[in-house]
Amino acid sequence: MRKKITKFLAGISVAILAVTVLNLPKKHIAAAGLSVSCSSSTIYVGDTVTFTVSVSGGAGMVAVSGAANDSDWFENNSRSYTVKGTSAGSLSVYASGTIADFNTEKDQSLSSFLTVVVKERSKPSNNNNNSSSNSGNNDTPQNNNDDYNNAPSNNDTPKNEPSNKTEKPKEEKKNKDSSLKSLSISEGKLSPAFQAGTTSYKVDLPGSVDTLKVSAAANNSKASLRGIGKKKLKPGNNTIQVICTAENGTSTTYTIKVHVDEKPLVFVNYQGKKLGVSRSAAKLSKKLFEETKLTIDGKVVPAWTNKSLHMTLLYLENDDKKDFYFYDTEKKEVTSIYRPVGLLGENIAIIDVPKALQKRTGMVFTTVKVDGKELPGWTYQDKAFADYALLYVMNDAGDKVYYQYEKTGNTLQRYAGGAAITQNAYEKLLKAHEEETKQLKLIVYGLCALSAILFLAILIICVKKRKPKHFNKIDVKGRPLSKSAEIEHESLVKMQQEDGENF
């Protein structure tokens, strides 16, 4: 009986719990959203439409642009914007922003937009006006209510516009002729001769010509021209374009390719050769040199100078070979070549080696090939140093320095003044030096011994040859000695006796 009661109570408890759970309020989980809605999809010019921007399930800063402009904080709410249609076309509102989702607590980049069509109002026709005025049922013309009958609603679109629109006057056609009637130049002759249908020409001019005047006339008086007038020329190739634009905007381009002779006009002498000042474009590192002008033989030529180092360069050519050269502005002569190159990571310039430096002991002055470039330098006469060479160049600081090149490793380093040497040669030199040191020590020891022997021999000889000297008392008759003389005499006699005893 007790068991039945327990089971009954347990069943009632489960039923109550189930009913409670089923009746708990349900939680609706929805993602954050951003939307744009409007009061009507189509309106007429002069009417207004309301756009509504809404944020649901989240919060964040929203930017509104287009027909309405705003930027504000939205937190699960909406905001409306009323816009008037001022002309036929469309009205669009864009909304975008980063919205924090209330459920996931994560930021989401959301955007939305909506477009409303704006139409012109339909205009009443003359027939409608007449019929309205003839009817006596209404004093108000029927077409006055057309605007209200045709006003757009949320679900309706405007009625079709009347077919009897007023025709626009036809536009006058503009002239499309963009050809030239004439084209001429102040120097030389065009090749081929000018023709309106030919748009490409060539002309060759001597090197003395540096300007050219271009003249042209359009075939149609309403066309416009560009590219005519005085043109500055450079040696070599130049391109001049004359553009004729017709009244309707179309255009035709006439091209003149002008070649100015690049041969030098000024010449200088260098090592018995005649070099011309090149008229070709040339550039140097602005770190060392700046471009300037120089007058030679009454003609202005381009030059490059380094005022701090007192150096001037000219760009000279001979048989199509062009290089920079040092030019002495005082003596007005070329002194050396200057050919900047990059060599194994070093920025150097090839220069002439003065004759006084070309002779070096144990070396031969010749042309050395380094990294595919030929430079003046020295090689060693000793075959053991066949892989070594010496170079004389100018570094990027303007200093003239020596570099030593090693062929097998293809390396370049500043030369400190010591000769290159192999390991075998070094070991041989070291052994020879040790032998020389030993021999030198023996000679020094022998000389010291010989000197000691000679010193003793000389000392013995001196001692044997030395004899004592005796002083006798001499009486001088007729003249007695004075007291002082007597004392001196006795002193001498005593010294003589002592010397005798010592020997």
Side-chain angles (χ1 to χ4, degrees):
M1 185 67 180
R2 185 178 293 176
K3 291 182 178 179
K4 291 181 178 180
I5 295 172
T6 303
K7 289 181 179 181
F8 176 74
L9 293 175
I12 293 175
S13 300
V14 171
I16 294 172
L17 179 62
V19 172
T20 304
V21 171
L22 290 173
N23 287 278
L24 285 174
K26 295 181 180 179
K27 183 178 181 181
H28 298 279
I29 299 175
L34 174 62
S35 63
V36 179
S37 60
C38 64
S39 59
S40 179
S41 59
T42 306
I43 63 172
Y44 285 106
V45 175
D47 292 340
T48 59
V49 63
T50 301
F51 290 89
T52 302
V53 178
S54 303
V55 172
S56 60
M61 185 65 72
V62 176
V64 179
S65 60
N69 289 280
D70 191 15
S71 180
D72 204 351
W73 180 267
F74 283 68
E75 187 171 349
N76 207 24
N77 65 331
S78 302
R79 188 166 286 107
S80 297
Y81 304 91
T82 300
V83 181
K84 185 177 182 179
T86 57
S87 60
S90 63
L91 295 173
S92 298
V93 169
Y94 302 86
S96 62
T98 301
I99 309 301
D101 194 300
F102 287 157
N103 296 315
T104 63
E105 297 183 355
K106 292 182 179 180
D107 290 340
Q108 301 181 54
S109 295
L110 302 176
S111 62
S112 181
F113 75 95
L114 191 62
T115 301
V116 172
V117 178
V118 181
K119 289 189 174 184
E120 292 280 359
R121 291 183 183 276
S122 56
K123 296 180 180 179
S125 63
N126 293 331
N127 295 332
N128 291 337
N129 288 336
N130 294 333
S131 61
S132 298
S133 59
N134 292 333
S135 62
N137 297 331
N138 262 323
D139 293 333
T140 305
Q142 295 293 327
N143 64 306
N144 289 344
N145 294 325
D146 287 345
D147 289 345
Y148 298 97
N149 295 331
N150 294 330
S153 63
N154 291 340
N155 299 321
D156 297 332
T157 56
K159 295 180 180 179
N160 293 332
E161 296 178 7
S163 59
N164 56 341
K165 293 182 179 178
T166 305
E167 293 184 0
K168 295 182 180 179
K170 293 182 179 180
E171 293 184 2
E172 183 182 352
K173 290 185 178 180
K174 295 182 179 180
N175 191 284
K176 61 180 181 180
D177 187 359
S178 61
S179 62
L180 290 181
K181 182 169 62 177
S182 64
L183 178 64
S184 61
I185 52 178
S186 59
E187 301 285 344
K189 292 183 179 180
L190 293 176
S191 178
F194 172 75
Q195 289 182 353
T198 303
T199 58
S200 182
Y201 301 89
K202 292 182 180 180
V203 61
D204 293 323
L205 297 175
S208 57
V209 179
D210 57 2
T211 58
L212 184 68
K213 185 179 179 180
V214 180
S215 302
N219 195 44
N220 185 272
S221 60
K222 294 183 178 180
S224 60
L225 293 175
R226 285 185 296 161
I228 59 175
K230 196 173 184 180
K231 305 293 179 181
K232 189 174 182 180
L233 302 177
K234 64 180 181 180
N237 296 323
N238 300 263
T239 300
I240 299 174
Q241 290 186 330
V242 177
I243 303 173
C244 181
T245 304
E247 185 185 13
N248 70 345
T250 60
S251 63
T252 301
T253 301
Y254 292 79
T255 303
I256 306 174
K257 293 184 178 180
V258 182
H259 179 77
V260 179
D261 192 352
E262 298 179 86
K263 291 180 181 179
L265 301 176
V266 179
F267 294 87
V268 293
N269 293 319
Y270 174 66
Q271 294 183 350
K273 296 180 181 180
K274 197 173 184 180
L275 303 180
V277 179
S278 178
R279 302 175 67 210
S280 302
K283 292 183 179 181
L284 275 174
S285 171
K286 294 182 179 180
K287 181 179 179 181
L288 279 178
F289 298 94
E290 62 178 353
E291 193 169 354
T292 183
K293 298 291 183 182
L294 197 65
T295 302
I296 300 178
D297 294 339
K299 295 181 180 179
V300 178
V301 297
W304 291 261
T305 61
N306 184 316
K307 295 181 181 179
S308 60
L309 298 177
H310 304 288
M311 293 190 300
T312 301
L313 297 178
L314 292 176
Y315 193 49
L316 306 178
E317 63 178 74
N318 180 36
D319 297 332
D320 296 330
K321 189 175 182 180
K322 302 174 184 178
D323 280 304
F324 286 96
Y325 288 81
F326 286 107
Y327 182 76
D328 190 328
T329 54
E330 294 182 357
K331 295 181 180 180
K332 296 184 178 180
E333 62 181 18
V334 178
T335 59
S336 171
I337 193 173
Y338 178 85
R339 186 185 301 158
V341 295
L343 196 65
L344 299 177
E346 298 286 342
N347 293 323
I348 64 169
I350 300 173
I351 58 175
D352 289 331
V353 181
K355 290 185 178 181
L357 299 178
Q358 292 181 6
K359 292 183 178 180
R360 297 182 68 90
T361 304
M363 306 183 81
V364 178
F365 183 72
T366 182
T367 299
V368 180
K369 194 170 184 179
V370 179
D371 200 27
K373 301 177 178 66
E374 293 185 350
L375 300 87
W378 297 263
T379 56
Y380 290 88
Q381 292 177 335
D382 191 342
K383 293 183 179 180
F385 307 137
D387 294 330
Y388 290 87
L390 192 64
L391 307 175
Y392 182 74
V393 298
M394 178 177 286
N395 60 18
D396 56 1
D399 300 323
K400 298 175 182 178
V401 295
Y402 288 94
Y403 276 92
Q404 183 170 279
Y405 172 68
E406 201 280 319
K407 184 178 180 180
T408 57
N410 199 32
T411 58
L412 193 70
Q413 61 181 5
R414 285 288 295 270
Y415 180 68
I421 187 169
T422 62
Q423 183 64 29
N424 292 334
Y426 176 74
E427 291 176 355
K428 290 180 181 179
L429 287 175
L430 187 61
K431 289 180 180 180
H433 178 70
E434 290 177 353
E435 292 294 332
E436 290 178 358
T437 302
K438 289 180 180 179
Q439 293 177 4
L440 183 61
K441 287 182 179 180
L442 291 175
I443 293 173
V444 171
Y445 292 155
L447 289 175
C448 289
L450 182 61
S451 298
I453 293 171
L454 289 175
F455 178 75
L456 291 174
I458 294 171
L459 184 60
I460 293 172
I461 292 172
C462 291
V463 170
K464 288 183 177 181
K465 287 185 176 182
R466 187 172 182 181
K467 294 182 179 180
K469 294 181 179 181
H470 298 281
F471 296 94
N472 296 321
K473 183 177 179 181
I474 300 175
D475 293 333
V476 181
K477 294 181 179 181
R479 187 179 179 182
L481 296 175
S482 62
K483 187 66 177 177
S484 60
E486 187 68 25
I487 294 172
E488 183 177 0
H489 175 71
E490 291 177 356
S491 176
L492 290 173
V493 173
K494 188 176 180 179
M495 290 175 62
Q496 185 177 5
Q497 292 175 353
E498 289 178 354
D499 291 338
E501 292 176 358
N502 291 333
F503 286 99

